[in-house]
Every structure is written in structure tokens, then in C-alpha cells.
Amino acid sequence: MKFFVDTAEIEPIRELAATGLLDGVTTNPSLIAKSGRDFMEVTREICGLVDGPVSAEVVALDHATMMKEAEVLRKIADNVCIKVPLTVDGLKTCKALTGEGTMVNVTLCFSANQALLAAKAGASFISPFVGRHDDNGFDGMDLIEDIRLIYDNYNFATEILVASVRHTTHVLQAAKIGADVMTAPPKVIHDLFKHVLTDKGIEGFMADWAKTGQSIL
């Protein structure tokens, strides 16, 4: 499963990229606003930190303006992935852009039917929001299972990008279902490394090593 980080903050991206485990980045207007940075400037900087897709979202709601914004955004770098909302105009834009060879991430997906439409429109990625789904009394992972089944039934190439990830259990469940990608805040990704028994094991090893009085270097 590919790991994307969901942020527009440069330092967390730089730190995770240095591990060699980061496959891409997702941003959205809310994350850009939180960063306090210029949209074009921060997107360009992020694209220089990772080799994989960097989702940059259009803010227009009509197809014609979405296409104009996409034309500007995809000139930032070769790894820009245009992000569009799951609307009629968004999917129309998706179909046009993917037909030109541009990566497209269709976002704000909350049903398997919507995901089916996105795949038919040629989306590179579909972003179902599992955390927000959970918040509204549904099981976000049921949605991922439904999308996985439908995509496998028809051999759709669209990758399932699990979004709105709130905790490490979401990551585990998504991986067990067979999601292609997950995107999570930096904290959730860092939490994947942690386990109390790992910490205790290291503490014990270090204490025993100190007793030997030896040094590897």
C-alpha cells in the first residue's frame, strides 16, 4: 500500500520523505489555508520533496474554469495530480484531463456509486473519506470494501486512496481490505512506528549493551 501524507506543511513532509517510505502528498484548500503559504509556491516546494503524486485541488465549481485552473496547476511540476470534487462538472473535468494524460484525484467520495462513476471517468485516484463517514454514523471501512469489490469486478485501474484517516486502525483496516493508497496526517504516520513493547525492548537491549562496556565504533 502506498503512503501519502495529508498536509501542506513543508517540514513534516521533508522528515517523512527522508525515511524513504513516503510515496506522495495530498493537499486541499483547507490545508493550504492552515499553512499560511502561497498556494503555487508551497505546491511547487512540495513537488520538489517527493517523486510521487502531489494532489493540488482546483477551487472552481464549473467545468470550464476547472480546466483553466488545471492548466495552470499542472505546469507547476510533472508530478502534480489535479484534484477535483465528485460532482458532474468535476467528473467531466476528470474525463477530459485523464484523456490528456494528466493524473486526477477525485475527492469527497462518500458512496460506492460515486466511486464507480469516478472510475468510469478515468480517475487516477478516488478519495473516499472514511473518517467523515464514521463521524456521520456509517462505517467508513464498509465503503472501502464495497469500492474494492466493484473495482475488482471490472478491473478498473483507478486506485483507491483512503482519505480522512484518523488513526492507525484505519490504516490497518485499509491495508487488510486491499486499498491501494492511504493518506494521513503526519502524526498518524509517525504513530505507525510506535509500540510499547518495541520501546521496552530497546530499553532492555541498551541496558544490557552498556554492561558489556563495548563499542561498535
Side-chain angles (χ1 to χ4, degrees):
M1 185 168 66
K2 298 173 187 174
F3 278 26
F4 290 4
V5 64
D6 195 36
T7 185
E9 301 290 341
I10 294 299
E11 284 312 309
I13 296 171
R14 194 190 309 277
E15 290 173 6
L16 287 168
T19 68
L21 302 176
L22 188 64
D23 300 294
V25 178
T26 54
T27 70
N28 60 47
S30 297
L31 292 173
I32 295 292
K34 185 179 178 180
S35 76
R37 298 277 305 279
D38 175 79
F39 179 28
M40 302 294 286
E41 179 184 81
V42 71
T43 302
R44 185 174 294 106
E45 190 170 352
I46 292 170
C47 287
L49 292 174
V50 296
D51 295 326
V54 175
S55 289
E57 190 165 347
V58 298
V59 293
L61 297 178
D62 66 285
H63 168 64
T65 312
M66 284 183 186
M67 290 297 293
K68 291 177 182 177
E69 291 181 349
E71 182 62 25
V72 173
L73 294 176
R74 62 184 175 179
K75 289 179 180 177
I76 294 174
D78 291 339
N79 56 331
V80 164
C81 177
I82 304 301
K83 201 172 185 183
V84 300
L86 212 157
T87 62
V88 172
D89 283 77
L91 293 186
K92 186 176 179 181
T93 301
C94 173
K95 184 71 172 178
L97 290 174
T98 55
E100 297 172 359
T102 298
M103 289 186 293
V104 178
N105 178 0
V106 178
T107 190
L108 293 171
C109 173
F110 293 96
S111 79
N113 283 336
Q114 289 179 318
L116 174 59
L117 292 173
K120 286 182 66 64
S124 308
F125 303 98
I126 181 66
S127 290
F129 279 36
V130 294
R132 293 195 197 182
H133 216 58
D134 291 350
D135 292 345
N136 285 275
F138 302 97
D139 188 333
M141 287 303 152
D142 284 347
L143 173 59
I144 303 305
E145 287 184 343
D146 286 344
I147 297 172
R148 181 75 279 161
L149 176 61
I150 291 169
Y151 281 14
D152 288 347
N153 281 347
Y154 298 99
N155 294 316
F156 284 124
T158 301
E159 296 188 46
I160 301 172
L161 195 167
V162 179
S164 188
V165 168
R166 302 284 176 75
H167 43 69
T168 58
T169 302
H170 274 157
V171 180
L172 174 61
Q173 291 172 324
K176 290 170 71 175
I177 292 167
D180 302 286
V181 191
M182 77 88 200
T183 188
K187 181 184 182 302
V188 173
I189 296 177
H190 282 292
D191 284 346
L192 293 169
F193 290 91
K194 299 176 182 177
H195 196 286
V196 62
L197 295 181
T198 302
D199 294 340
K200 286 184 176 180
I202 291 173
E203 183 180 347
F205 288 157
M206 295 306 295
D208 289 339
W209 179 250
K211 294 175 185 176
T212 71
Q214 300 178 53
S215 174
I216 294 175
L217 297 179

